[in-house]
Amino acid sequence: MVFDAIVIGGGLLGTATAYHLVAAGARTLLVDRADVGRATDAGAGILSPETNSRDPEAWFQLAVAAAAYYPTLVERLRDEQAGETGYARCGRLVVAVSDDEAQSFEHARRVVFERQRARGLPKPEDLHEVSAAEARELFPPLAPVRGAIYSRVGARVDGRLLNRALRNAAEARGLLVRAGSVERLVLAGPRASGVVADGETLAAGAVAIAGGAWTEAFGRQLGVRIPVAPQRGQIIHLGLHGVDTGRWPVVSGFHDHYLVAWPDSRVVAGATRETGSGFAPHTTAAGVREVLGEALRVAPGLAGAEIREIRVGLRPLTSDTLPVLGPVPGVDGVFLVTGHGPTGLTLGPYSGKLVAGQMLGKAPEADLRPFSVARFGV
Ligand SMILES: Cc1cc2nc3c(=O)[nH]c(=O)nc-3n(C[C@H](O)[C@H](O)[C@H](O)COP(=O)(O)OP(=O)(O)OC[C@H]3O[C@@H](n4cnc5c(N)ncnc54)[C@H](O)[C@@H]3O)c2cc1C
């Protein structure tokens, strides 16, 4: 059988690409090795580009479009009875609780409100500063804050559930899934004609590589540099017996850490960002200390929480932190959809949609040139 498309990798990026391919009628095969440390299974699920003050403009434009796509996708998955996604507009608080955060808070204030003015969105009632008392009312375990920005439109999603729902919906539309490992691409001159998976050649008109932190290996065969490396993230699930946490917003401080509340009396405290960790998806004493230390610095009211679970994921991080999206120059029929680092749950469904569109030869609905692998040279 010749497939229209083969997708390598069954994390959110690969599954989202496969979903959009089959939704457009393409005969598609997804091959996934399900490595331990798959980032999608550990992701916190914060979707809130409007409160981001650090990433470059190219990322921001893509992320805003990606966040706007979520409600449409979630509704479609609901119509398709694909299963829960955990998506909710829970809001997000960005807070400074200590002196060393004052400068970062001022910077965030400037960038966030400048972008809001420039876009005319979100509306002032949806994105504004709040007092320490208002912040505590929204998230009761919070320390006394020195400054707080509140976004009513900030959202969250459960990466595992969303990935499963997309796969369910795609399989219902005919996606074939194979558990296994792609060893290499099959190249005939300047064109890919399929992949070799566990010794078997599988033919396809186009191939998408969504191998997460494991993607770099394909660069050698393709003659391009794909500088994606694993960045370990350790994240801790806390239980608050009998407390209704369902309406609490996401909370972020300025040491790269955050708290995400879920309806089942659960608050997830994240996360380490261990650049250079290598492929070592285990918890460490220092990582757990760091995450709990930060969680309790920002929200001392969580001190009595039960530790329910610790997850570890390897974020696929590029050398310039931007994702890698689109065709591989010089090799027809190969597309990359990877390198989403700490924001792959935000961007993932939309990135998958855009790259699936490219694979099907559709007119681009967004400018993906800033994300081309060509920027890294050979
Ligand atoms: C702790 C943590 C917190 C995070 N929080 C957020 C957040 O709040 N918001 C946000 O937007 N993002 C967040 N992220 C980032 C997000 O989770 C990732 O960017 C995203 O999940 C990456 O998805 P992926 O599909 O590219 O990679 P992965 O989910 O890692 O999946 C890659 C898949 O490819 C497979 N694979 C690789 N090579 C092959 C091969 N040769 N053959 C077959 N299969 C192969 C692997 O086995 C794996 O299943 C977080 C990540 C972590 C770790």
Side-chain angles (χ1 to χ4, degrees), residues 266-328:
R266 183 163 50 112
V267 173
V268 175
T272 59
R273 288 193 178 185
E274 300 169 75
T275 306
S277 62
F279 291 97
H282 56 255
T283 52
T284 64
V288 170
R289 180 183 60 182
E290 175 190 318
V291 172
L292 289 180
E294 268 306 300
L296 298 183
R297 182 182 74 86
V298 172
L302 295 174
E306 167 202 8
I307 295 179
R308 281 196 195 165
E309 189 185 352
I310 306 179
R311 295 184 186 175
V312 186
L314 300 174
R315 302 180 188 91
L317 188 69
T318 56
S319 54
D320 65 2
T321 75
L322 288 176
V324 185
L325 294 170
V328 174

Side-chain angles (χ1 to χ4, degrees), residues 81-96:
Q81 299 187 329
E84 283 300 313
T85 63
Y87 177 82
R89 283 220 160 133
C90 56
R92 185 187 197 179
L93 268 174
V94 180
V95 299

Side-chain angles (χ1 to χ4, degrees), residues 18-376:
Y19 170 79
H20 289 95
L21 284 166
V22 290
R27 280 167 306 162
T28 305
L29 172 71
L30 176 76
V31 186
D32 184 32
R33 202 168 54 207
D35 284 282
V36 174
R38 174 156 74 182
T40 300
D41 296 342
I46 304 167
L47 316 173
S48 181
E50 73 289 346
T51 52
N52 177 291
S53 54
R54 295 179 179 177
D55 289 290
E57 193 57 24
W59 176 91
F60 181 70
Q61 294 300 337
L62 187 68
V64 163
Y69 177 52
Y70 254 96
T72 310
L73 177 69
V74 168
E75 201 180 313
R76 205 163 123 184
L77 291 173
R78 201 173 294 133
D79 289 347
E80 292 174 294
Q81 299 187 329
E84 283 300 313
T85 63
Y87 177 82
R89 283 220 160 133
C90 56
R92 185 187 197 179
L93 268 174
V94 180
V95 299
V97 302
S98 54
D99 286 343
D100 66 334
E101 292 173 294
Q103 223 180 331
S104 305
F105 184 72
E106 276 315 309
H107 173 76
R109 246 164 57 111
R110 208 174 47 249
V111 174
V112 166
F113 294 125
E114 254 171 41
R115 280 175 166 166
Q116 182 186 31
R117 265 192 300 278
R119 289 173 61 222
L121 282 172
K123 294 187 210 122
E125 60 268 32
D126 288 336
L127 179 62
H128 51 85
E129 285 191 71
V130 290
S131 68
E134 286 168 316
R136 173 80 70 88
E137 208 170 298
L138 287 162
F139 196 92
L142 211 54
V145 301
R146 290 155 192 235
I149 298 168
Y150 176 57
S151 164
R152 198 192 299 274
V153 296
R156 60 160 158 72
V157 74
D158 183 320
R160 288 186 186 190
L161 291 182
L162 175 63
N163 200 27
R164 195 177 309 150
L166 281 167
R167 188 183 287 199
N168 289 344
E171 285 186 303
R173 287 169 177 266
L175 174 72
L176 295 181
V177 179
R178 176 184 171 126
S181 180
V182 171
E183 292 143 28
R184 60 184 172 84
L185 305 168
V186 180
L187 301 179
R191 205 189 151 76
S193 61
V195 304
V196 177
D198 304 303
E200 192 181 336
T201 300
L202 305 163
V207 178
I209 303 175
W214 296 267
T215 302
E216 189 180 24
F218 289 100
R220 285 186 279 284
Q221 201 195 349
L222 293 166
V224 291
R225 252 169 36 79
I226 316 171
V228 177
Q231 183 199 57
R232 184 169 57 204
Q234 302 182 49
I235 185 162
I236 303 178
H237 291 232
L238 302 171
L240 294 165
H241 290 287
V243 179
D244 180 5
T245 53
R247 299 170 75 86
W248 290 3
V250 171
V251 175
S252 317
F254 286 94
H255 297 180
D256 274 343
H257 297 71
Y258 47 76
L259 300 159
V260 186
W262 297 88
D264 53 346
S265 300
R266 183 163 50 112
V267 173
V268 175
T272 59
R273 288 193 178 185
E274 300 169 75
T275 306
S277 62
F279 291 97
H282 56 255
T283 52
T284 64
V288 170
R289 180 183 60 182
E290 175 190 318
V291 172
L292 289 180
E294 268 306 300
L296 298 183
R297 182 182 74 86
V298 172
L302 295 174
E306 167 202 8
I307 295 179
R308 281 196 195 165
E309 189 185 352
I310 306 179
R311 295 184 186 175
V312 186
L314 300 174
R315 302 180 188 91
L317 188 69
T318 56
S319 54
D320 65 2
T321 75
L322 288 176
V324 185
L325 294 170
V328 174
V331 190
D332 287 348
V334 182
F335 296 79
L336 291 164
V337 53
T338 189
H340 288 61
T343 56
L345 299 186
T346 305
L347 302 172
Y350 192 57
S351 292
K353 178 175 191 260
L354 295 177
V355 173
Q358 287 185 323
M359 294 171 77
L360 297 166
K362 288 189 187 161
E365 67 177 80
D367 181 12
L368 290 184
R369 282 171 301 180
F371 310 110
S372 168
V373 73
R375 70 188 191 269
F376 298 118

